Structure formats: structure tokens, C-alpha cells
Amino acid sequence: MPKQLEDNIIQADYSEEMQKSYIDYAMSVIVSRALPDARDGLKPVQRRTLYDMYELGIRYDRPYRKCARIVGDTMGKYHPHGDSSIYEALVVMSQEFKRGQALVDGHGNFGSIEGDGAAAMRYTEARLMRITQEVYLADLDKDVVDFLPNFDETEKEPSVLPVRIPNLLINGAEGIAVGMATSVPPHNLGEVADAVKAYIRNNDITIKGLMHYLKGPDFPTGGIVVNQDGLLDIYSTGTGKIRLRGKVELEQGKGGRQSLVITEIPYTMIGANIGKFLNDVAALVESRVTTDITDISNQSSKEGIRIVLELRKGADAEKLKNMLYKKTRLEDTFGVNMLAVSEGRPETLNLKQIIEHHVDFQVEVCTRKHQTLLSKELEKKEIQEGLIEACNVIDLIIEILRGSKNQEQAKTCLTEGVTEGIRFKTKASRTQASKLRFTQRQATAILEMRLYRLIGLEVEALLKEHEATLANIARYEEILNDYNVMMDVIIKDLNAVKRMYARKRRTAIENAQEAVYEEPKDEETEVIFLMDKFGYGKIIDRASYERNRDIVQEEYKYSFPCMSDDKICVFTDTGKMHTAKVAKLPFGKVRGKGVPIDNVSNYDSAKERILFVGSLAALKASNLLLVTAQGLLKQVQGQEFEVSKRTIAATKLNEGDALIFAGISDHAEFTVLQSANGYFLRMLTREAPIQKRNSLGVRGMRLEEGDMLERAYLLEGASEYSIHYNDKTLPLGSLKLAKRDTKGVKA
């Protein structure tokens, strides 16, 4: 290998390189994509979208702009990760049912609480909400936050927005990163502002003390938090589960009928889960878990949620309400994990830590803002003092200007007292001019001053303006030098935001009792199980079976009686037994459609073939004969199949072997085995030994090389049983009786 190539080869350990690369990728997703910043509570895509709208001038008091324009501009300038993520963030920030405080004013179809998606971005329009402009984006021109280069270093973007309220608490957050996820519930703006003020007044306040002001989550969908006592632990650790219930009201109808009306839903139910809730209630009615609900209607509109469940006369409404809480998502849990990016790394924060981060950030923003304002006021003071002094010696300045050859010469005279080359009327004027020492900024202002500023009223206004500037400087210096004064400014801002944008709490918080619902015990009844050749099963009552016995015999492959609390056992060629509860099967008519056995058991019709179906109760009292393709057979006592699992191995199989027959053998005196090469063996069933499920069995028929068993038959005594074989009728009972493990006879 050439020396120069050898010098360029870098030796690296593959596992270490993979580990480093994956950690870099994971941290990029965590910090730059999925998790919000603890300071402004925004993910990068949300921050960039809002800032881009601000830069485009799409303010709350200006016309809406197409979302496609906003998305394209954001993607091209700040967020090169695809338009769908940007538009989705824009849509969510406009949906009041998802956020405690909407940040974008959407115009058009921005989806619904029932899970309808927003229209395409080319059809919708948006602009900033007033709160976003005044509370989230204000003061960006005052150097309150750092600006960083964008992805291609052609633009600058803020590293964080100067949000004046704890947005992480008010709007909450949801996000999935690599190996971690965040889930912060939304809260009431007014309560959060009060909690922040309480912390500012007393930094040693406990989380319990903060909860005197911030009662708990305030979800935009309302509902009821029912584990109030558990909230302190959640806010102390930053993790836990909030139990939520929908609000259910009882309405009286005509004729003494009542209706349960759901007017508020758990936050976790928004979207497709509303439809799932309606389906779950319908399923409870169809499966006869309850017969008290006569009709279900979703009357929700833009005015709010209204789901009506009409009840039959005399129904127990309280019992039904508890059933809905237990069996549907009308009561659900919201998992809390208050994870956010703090000082560049992910951290799970408790309530006090979030408020601490916010207040520290506000101190930084307030300091930088007033430093910028103070700097500007000091510049104004310098210029104003120069203009006031210039008015006092205005005749001398005019003489300097008229005697100077150029602007630079005049400026040098004003700042340094250099009089060479300038014509003066008198020596006294030259001497006086040599004493001038204006600053560069003052000299520039004097040279640019217009003559009308010499009017008496204008001079008076200049003096008043100077007084105001001195007052501002004193105020800003006081704020910067006195921590308590700065805290008063932050509290004043919070009060203004609260007064303008706070609204009443929507979610009730209480300690509710556990919903108690006892399953009604079904009476054990005898039913008839039916399954057709396509694998569709159902149950019917015995009376229907007796009336249609001939139809059942013609159209159904399996039919037998069982109890309503029994199980159906399905044996397949893979050597497995699947069980299905009879109670899970639909109760129908003889000609009605059933359900695929796949749907109520683990049986897979694409990979398995059914050999035998029977009830567990009948199986427990019997022996089961099992025969494999490689000629092995055995009997297994039925009670071995009484297990709690839905699928078990009915028998052990050699590699390449398959089960070809399963059947109850108690009343079968003879067993006939049939091979693919046309050999038949009739033997006594009792020669098949009774063995355990997990055994292989014994050889039933000695097979030629390449031959295998195809079928097996059970014969009761000397009864005649014939099959069609090679276009002829073959009576199995007439076959010569032989011993097990023999070759049999060629048919």
C-alpha cells in the first residue's frame, strides 16, 4: 500500500463508533426536535413557526396569510425537516381543544375535536393570536435573547422566545424522543400566574404551598380530575398518573324516561377515541352487558360536546354511569412526565423547578431588556445635552459653520476645538471656539439639527424631553440595581397578562370514590355451537336447533351442545389447541352469519387447518385420540386440556411431522389408519396407549419409505362405515383386524 494512503487510514472500533453516532443522533432528536425548552415551553418547530410568522408580519391585526406560505418560508429558512411536521405544529397551536391557550388564529378547516384532520395547507390561512404577539414575541428587538445562525447560516433565529408566562405549564407538552417521552398537562393561566407571584414573594415556598394557587391541571376539554390527593406527589416528582372522568348529567325526558348526557370528556378521549367510545357503548348493548340503553346519539357541535344515551324506563342511571366509567374511556388516566430541556440536557422537573426556571429566565430577559433601554436612553441623554448646550452658543456655532470650508473641519472644531483654517469675525469668537469639546455623537446631532429647533417652544420641549430621559435612566438603573424592584416589574407584567387573557377553570378537581360496578352473573344455559366449513362460528338456542335440525346437518361442519360458560377447543394440524369462550360468540339464528373463529381465538386460518372442534366440558370427561402423519398415535385424557391459556401444544411433534387426526375415542372400539400409498390398518383402539400431552406417542402403523398417514377413522363396534376409495366403496369394518405397529393391507 502506498505510504500516503496508509497515513490517511483512521483505525476505529466499530462498536464505539456506532455507540457515539447513535448517542449523537439521540441527543439531536431530544434537544432539537422532540422536547420543549424549559424556558419558553416550545419545541424548535413551534418556536421557528411563530418567529417566521412574526418576521413575515402576519400579526393579529393584519389579514390572514396562506398556511402554505408560512410552512414553506419556515422550512426554507429555519426548519428543514419536511413540511408535514411544520404544518402539524401550526394546526395543533391553533386548536383550542388541544391547548390551554391557542397561539395561532386559524382561518378555515383546522380539524375537529372528534379527530377530523385539517384541510391541506393550500386551503387554510392563519395569523398570530394577540397573546402570542404581545406575550410570546414582544421585545425581540431589545436583545433579550440570543440569536443563532440557521441551518445554512444565511439567517438568524432566536434560541428561545422571550415568553413572559410559564408556557410549559399553561399549554403543556407532548413529545416522543429516543428512549424518553414528555407529557405535561395544560394548566389555567390565572392560577399559574398566581403561583409564579407566590414564588417570587417567597423563594422558599413548598410545592404544597404553590398548589394553594395552582390547584391542578386545567384541560381544555373540561372533565373531572378524581384523584386530587395524588396531585401533590405528581407535582413533587414530575411523574405520575392523573385520573380523569367525563362530566355526565342526568336529563329528564317525556314519559318518565331519562337520558345520560355527556357534556365534557376526558382530555385523552379527543380525536378518534370519541368514535371508539361510541362503538364501545354500542358493543356493551349488543353483547347484552346492559339492556338499559335504548339509543346512542352524538349531538356534539361547535358549541361543545353533547353525547346522549337514552335509557329505558326505570333504568338505574347511577349504575349505568359507573359501568361507563369502568368499561369505556369515559374514565381514563393521563400519564404525567414533566420532561424538558434544561440548560441543554433533558431533565424531569417538578412544579417548583419549572417555576424557578421561568423566573430565572424572566430575570435574564428583564435585565437584558432594561440594559438595552438604558443604553438607548444614555445615548439620547448625550445628544440632548449637546443640543441644549448648542442652543446656548448657537451664534458661535453658526459662525463656525459659515467660516468652515467643509463639514469635517466644522466637526473637528466642535469636538476638539481646532480653529485653524476657519474664518472668525473676532478673536474672541476664535478663543471661545477653541474651548468647545462636544462628543462625536453630539457634534453629529448639532450638524444635523434643523433651524426650527431654535424656536423657543422647541427648546422648551427639548428640555422637557431631557427631563423625561433622566427619569427613564433613573428608573432603568433602579430596576437593574435593585432585585426587588425588578421582581415588581415582572409581577406587574404577570398581572397585566392575567387581567387580559385569564379565563375561568374548566376542569373540576375532587376526590371521587372509585366507580363500583359488579358484572351481572349470567345464568348457565345450554346452547348449540355451530361452525360451517369456512370457519365461521356462532351459538343458537336448543329450540331453534330442534326446529332446523336438517338444515344444521346440511350446512354446518360442526354442531354440538355446550353450556354458555364453557369453552370451545379447536385442534389444528400444527399440534396446537386453541380455546374460545362460548360467551364471546354471537348469539344468532340458524341462517344468521357468525364470526370467524380467528376473531375469538388465536387460531390463524392462513397457517393452520382445523382437525377437530369440541367443547371443553365434553372433552374433560373423555379421551382424545391423536394421530400424526409419520404414523405416531396416542390417547390423551381430556382433563389435560383444561388450562387457562388460550393456546397450548396438544401434542409433541417430531420435526417435519404434522397432526392429521384428533377425535374423542371413548366409544370407538376400532381405529383405522390410511396411508398415502393406499395401505389400511384396522386395529383395536385400546392398543393406542394413554399418554401425556407432551409425549410423542407410539408407532401405530409401519410405513414404507416415502409413505405417510393421510387419514384416520374411529369405528364404534361392528357398525358398518364405508368410504369411497379409487372410485369404489370400501367398508372399513370388513378390513382384516391387525396389531398396532404392522404394515396393514393394500386396498
Side-chain angles (χ1 to χ4, degrees), residues 594-613:
V595 297
I597 292 296
D598 312 45
N599 292 5
V600 292
S601 70
N602 291 337
Y603 166 66
D604 187 350
S605 59
K607 298 178 181 178
E608 301 176 89
R609 182 171 59 88
I610 295 175
L611 300 176
F612 173 74
V613 179

Side-chain angles (χ1 to χ4, degrees), residues 384 387-388 391-392 452-469:
Q384 288 165 356
L387 292 176
I388 291 169
C391 288
N392 294 331
Y452 78 87
R453 298 298 297 270
L454 301 176
I455 299 171
L457 290 176
E458 288 294 328
V459 174
E460 191 176 329
L462 178 61
L463 293 171
K464 287 183 179 179
E465 187 181 336
H466 183 54
E467 288 176 8
T469 300

Side-chain angles (χ1 to χ4, degrees), residues 126 169 193 270-271 311 320 387 452 455 468 486 499 503 517 684 721 742:
L169 289 174
I270 59 176
L311 311 182
L320 270 176
L387 292 176
Y452 78 87
I455 299 171
M486 183 177 288
R499 187 167 54 252
R503 53 187 170 191
Y517 174 73
L684 292 171
Y721 183 80
T742 57

Side-chain angles (χ1 to χ4, degrees), residues 72-117:
D73 203 63
T74 303
M75 183 167 59
K77 288 182 179 178
Y78 310 115
H79 197 76
H81 300 296
D83 57 349
S84 59
S85 62
I86 300 171
Y87 187 51
E88 184 180 345
L90 183 69
V91 168
V92 171
M93 287 192 289
S94 74
Q95 293 176 328
E96 291 188 347
F97 54 85
K98 280 192 179 179
R99 289 289 172 262
Q101 180 64 58
L103 303 180
V104 172
D105 180 8
H107 184 242
N109 177 13
F110 275 81
S112 74
I113 194 172
E114 296 183 32
D116 301 315

Side-chain angles (χ1 to χ4, degrees), residues 48 73-81 148-155 157:
R48 289 163 174 169
D73 203 63
T74 303
M75 183 167 59
K77 288 182 179 178
Y78 310 115
H79 197 76
H81 300 296
L148 304 172
N150 68 340
F151 62 93
D152 60 0
E153 299 187 357
T154 58
E155 301 279 346
E157 61 175 304

Side-chain angles (χ1 to χ4, degrees), residues 24 27 33 97 209 270 322 375 448 476 531 543 546 605 609 652 711:
D24 290 344
M27 287 306 297
R33 299 282 289 276
F97 54 85
I270 59 176
N322 287 335
S375 177
E448 293 175 354
Y476 297 152
M531 192 176 90
E546 295 296 343
S605 59
R609 182 171 59 88
K652 185 177 181 181
R711 292 183 178 81

